[in-house]
Amino acid sequence: TIIQEHNAQPGAVFSLIILDLDRFKQFNDRCGHLRGDKALEKIGRLICSQLPKDALAARYGGEEFAVILPGTDLPGAIEIAEQIRAKVADTEFDGEDRLDSGKLTISGGIASYPAAGTTSDTLISRADSQLYEAKTNRNCVAPKPNDTRNVTRHNYRSIVEIFNPSSGDFKNALSADISNTGILLKSSTPAVIGSNLDLHFPYPFW
């Protein structure tokens, strides 16, 4: 499924945050499902209290929540996710003292359109993988607040051939900025956002 926005302007962005409560099975087992339900309701309200008016929040399943942030890029989404994480960590929950950690916390994974993908599947997969990374430490979000500023970028200029399988169009572009998160290509005829492209490097820069 290609994600499209009605009358979307060039450069339009939005972000997805997937949040998951840490050790929530342990919380339910030791505190009971009734307290677990109350904790979920409380956290749902806390999440909504940290969001801009145009955001959409929903329970994603079990102890997971999903947040969509229109017009918000990755750094902005990281800031909001971090605010949610901190708010939950600073809030008291009935029975949380029975947890091994002594505190009910939340972790989050973030993905932004179109940088992380242009389909619902790729964005969800990216956010899920970031959440998995955050859950290794718990009570954190991924990417971390400083991750986007610490990406090593290389200004390698090389010819890149772009082929659009759906239309059969072929064009040349010039690479201008390369990192482990993406590549910037300059072309006189830009590709349509959301299209699938094959990239060929006739003069490898590596």
Side-chain angles (χ1 to χ4, degrees):
T1 302
I2 301 297
I3 295 176
Q4 298 177 334
E5 294 186 22
H6 181 61
N7 295 327
Q9 298 296 317
V13 299
F14 72 87
S15 293
L16 168 67
I17 305 174
I18 297 180
L19 300 156
D20 184 84
L21 288 174
D22 300 321
R23 299 185 178 89
F24 192 64
K25 184 181 184 302
Q26 186 180 97
F27 186 90
N28 271 335
D29 290 344
R30 297 181 181 181
C31 303
H33 289 275
L34 182 59
R35 281 183 177 174
D37 288 343
K38 290 182 178 179
L40 287 173
E41 292 177 8
K42 190 173 185 177
I43 286 173
R45 291 192 294 269
L46 289 176
I47 291 172
C48 290
S49 72
Q50 303 303 306
L51 300 179
K53 292 182 179 180
D54 60 348
L56 174 65
R59 188 173 175 185
Y60 188 56
E63 64 270 24
E64 289 189 335
F65 296 85
V67 176
I68 296 177
L69 301 166
T72 304
D73 59 9
L74 182 59
I78 292 174
E79 182 177 351
I80 291 172
E82 179 61 24
Q83 289 173 357
I84 293 171
R85 183 211 61 77
K87 187 70 174 178
V88 172
D90 290 341
T91 300
E92 292 185 2
F93 294 90
D94 186 24
E96 65 180 1
D97 56 311
R98 300 182 185 182
L99 293 173
D100 290 346
S101 61
K103 192 80 189 70
L104 186 60
T105 58
I106 200 166
S107 298
I110 309 154
S112 294
Y113 168 93
T118 57
T119 69
S120 56
D121 287 343
T122 54
L123 283 172
I124 292 171
S125 177
R126 178 62 177 170
D128 269 335
S129 66
Q130 293 290 345
L131 175 60
Y132 180 81
E133 180 178 335
K135 294 288 284 186
T136 59
N137 295 313
R138 297 189 179 94
N139 192 25
C140 67
V141 300
K144 295 180 181 179
N146 292 326
D147 283 356
T148 56
R149 290 191 288 268
N150 291 335
V151 172
T152 301
R153 303 180 187 276
H154 305 280
N155 190 25
Y156 291 130
R157 296 186 178 274
S158 180
I159 297 295
V160 179
E161 298 173 346
I162 303 176
F163 179 71
N164 188 335
S166 61
S167 65
D169 292 338
F170 175 87
K171 66 188 74 176
N172 283 336
L174 182 67
S175 65
D177 188 13
I178 301 170
S179 71
N180 64 350
T181 62
I183 179 172
L184 173 64
L185 299 175
K186 294 184 177 181
S187 173
S188 59
T189 53
V192 176
I193 291 179
S195 58
N196 293 318
L197 304 173
D198 288 336
L199 302 182
H200 301 271
F201 301 89
Y203 309 106
F205 39 75
W206 52 82

